[in-house]
Amino acid sequence: MEVTSNIVQFNIEKAKTGDQVAFTFLLDFYWNEVYGFMIKRTENETDTEDIAIETFAKAFDKIGTYNSEFGFNTWLITIAKNVHIDMLRKKKLLVFVENNDKINYANTIADESSSAEDELIIEQNLAQLLLCIKKMKPAYQEVIQMRYFQEMSYQEIANQLNQPLNNVKIKLLRGKKILAEIISKT
């Protein structure tokens, strides 16, 4: 038990310096604990996976703020709870917006077909998105392309890249963050 605690603490310190191997160790070591805790709360595998991925991404982004007086797993669970609360708030907001949309559109008949202008706007937006993706490192470009353009599952990407599933999840999450930053600067 003491040896495991020392290994974990060592990897936390290494992760604070940006060591990717240490991040991977911590992700692998604590994934089941965070996932198991959240699946009991959400009872939804997709939401739980999203929460767990976002939890580790936030933890790794803010690992410098971790206080070693407290358990690392406790810190991760606290982050997971907050991510879950944020997700629930967004869903409630979405339901509210959807309800308002139904009211707004109740008295109108919408033409579902795209106009030539709509098609042009979509095409221009896609071209702009592809230019932003090309500004990313090739490893991030690859997982973004596989996930969102080829519509591959996380497992299919992991198999094709011959990488652990958790690494693919984190790489994809980081890639989305980088892409969002690039888009916001454009």
Side-chain angles (χ1 to χ4, degrees), residues 11-12 14-29 56 59-63 72 167 170 174:
N11 279 289
I12 290 170
K14 295 282 283 179
K16 285 181 178 181
T17 67
D19 186 309
Q20 293 297 314
V21 174
F23 283 138
T24 302
F25 171 84
L26 294 170
L27 176 75
D28 291 341
F29 192 81
F56 282 98
F60 295 155
D61 286 345
K62 303 290 184 187
I63 197 156
F72 193 72
N167 287 6
I170 293 298
R174 287 185 182 154

Side-chain angles (χ1 to χ4, degrees), residues 6-112:
N6 289 340
I7 292 170
V8 168
Q9 200 58 42
F10 172 78
N11 279 289
I12 290 170
E13 294 306 315
K14 295 282 283 179
K16 285 181 178 181
T17 67
D19 186 309
Q20 293 297 314
V21 174
F23 283 138
T24 302
F25 171 84
L26 294 170
L27 176 75
D28 291 341
F29 192 81
Y30 287 108
W31 177 266
N32 288 339
E33 187 172 348
V34 172
Y35 186 91
F37 178 82
M38 289 313 302
I39 193 73
K40 290 176 187 170
R41 292 180 73 132
T42 66
E43 297 178 355
N44 179 309
E45 288 182 19
T46 304
D47 286 349
T48 298
E49 190 169 280
D50 290 344
I51 291 167
I53 290 169
E54 191 168 338
T55 296
F56 282 98
K58 285 184 179 213
F60 295 155
D61 286 345
K62 303 290 184 187
I63 197 156
T65 66
Y66 168 67
N67 182 347
S68 59
E69 292 178 23
F70 304 100
F72 193 72
N73 58 338
T74 305
W75 187 63
L76 287 171
I77 294 296
T78 302
I79 295 170
K81 287 178 185 177
N82 291 334
V83 169
H84 184 222
I85 290 167
D86 289 345
M87 178 186 278
L88 292 174
R89 286 181 182 147
K90 286 177 187 173
K91 283 185 178 182
K92 284 182 183 175
L93 181 63
L94 182 62
V95 168
F96 177 74
V97 169
E98 285 176 356
N99 287 339
N100 283 346
D101 286 347
K102 287 177 186 172
I103 292 167
N104 290 340
Y105 292 118
N107 297 324
T108 63
I109 299 173
D111 181 7
E112 296 290 325

Side-chain angles (χ1 to χ4, degrees), residues 110-172:
D111 181 7
E112 296 290 325
S113 63
S114 298
S115 68
E117 293 85 7
D118 292 337
E119 294 293 329
L120 183 60
I121 290 169
I122 291 168
E123 191 175 310
Q124 288 174 344
N125 287 341
L126 182 58
Q128 185 66 34
L129 177 62
L130 291 172
L131 285 173
C132 291
I133 291 172
K134 287 186 180 188
K135 294 178 183 176
M136 299 170 64
K137 290 183 180 177
Y140 293 122
Q141 286 182 32
E142 186 175 35
V143 293
I144 294 285
Q145 290 278 352
M146 292 170 128
R147 180 70 177 156
Y148 297 106
F149 292 95
Q150 297 174 23
E151 298 181 355
M152 295 173 71
S153 70
Y154 293 117
Q155 189 62 55
E156 289 171 333
I157 296 169
N159 291 345
Q160 186 160 337
L161 297 177
N162 197 25
Q163 292 184 1
L165 181 62
N166 290 336
N167 287 6
V168 168
K169 291 176 183 176
I170 293 298
K171 191 180 288 184
L172 189 59

